[in-house]
Amino acid sequence: MKVITIYGSKSDLPFMEPARQYFAEHQVEAEEVVYSAHRDLPELLAYLRKLEEDGTKAVLLCVAGLSAALPGVVVMNTQLPVIGVPVPCGPLNGIDALLAISQLPGGVPATTVGLHKKTPLNAAMAAHRIIRLAE
């Protein structure tokens, strides 16, 4: 089982460096891809279909700022667990992203982590705990 981090934008990659370090230190298999829910929707959906078809076992970290549509789109197109990771950016410094993820409607079971300087680490640790359940 592994962690797949899906970014809504390449500009979010530096934000998640603490998560990368955590995965390396704890020998967690991890991969990263960039697909915007707005600009790359067909490619994102094809990627998620392939994960399902291949029977991939993973926890998905969906890193998104501003409108943060990515976690909701992803969770509606996979059966894998999804953790939304809000990015502190834009005029509201990530509050809009946090609310967009945490206020998803019933039947859209994405979880989220808080919005602070340890957000990437908390996301990595939460994903790792889920993975350990499968061991």
Side-chain angles (χ1 to χ4, degrees):
M1 196 161 185
K2 63 183 172 180
V3 176
I4 301 172
T5 304
I6 305 174
Y7 294 90
S9 171
K10 286 182 185 176
S11 65
D12 298 332
L13 287 160
F15 173 68
M16 290 298 285
E17 183 58 31
R20 270 187 227 92
Q21 291 174 2
Y22 178 90
F23 295 143
E25 289 170 14
H26 292 87
Q27 301 174 347
V28 175
E29 183 181 352
E31 68 182 66
E32 299 176 307
V33 296
V34 178
Y35 291 109
S36 167
H38 301 288
R39 295 178 299 276
D40 307 314
L41 184 59
E43 294 88 351
L44 172 61
L45 296 178
Y47 177 75
L48 296 172
R49 267 192 306 277
K50 179 132 178 54
L51 292 178
E52 293 288 323
E53 290 168 2
D54 292 348
T56 300
K57 302 288 187 210
V59 175
L60 306 180
L61 297 182
C62 293
V63 182
L66 302 174
S67 73
L70 184 63
V73 169
V74 169
V75 79
M76 291 306 296
N77 287 281
T78 184
Q79 294 297 306
L80 296 170
V82 173
I83 301 172
V85 184
V87 177
C89 65
L92 299 178
N93 201 29
I95 296 297
D96 46 352
L98 176 62
L99 291 174
I101 300 166
S102 65
Q103 295 297 314
L104 288 169
V108 186
T111 61
T112 190
V113 290
L115 182 63
H116 46 73
K117 64 183 179 179
K118 297 289 187 176
T119 294
L121 182 59
N122 281 359
M125 292 173 73
H128 190 199
R129 286 181 178 198
I130 294 169
I131 286 172
R132 286 195 313 239
L133 289 173
E135 294 176 345

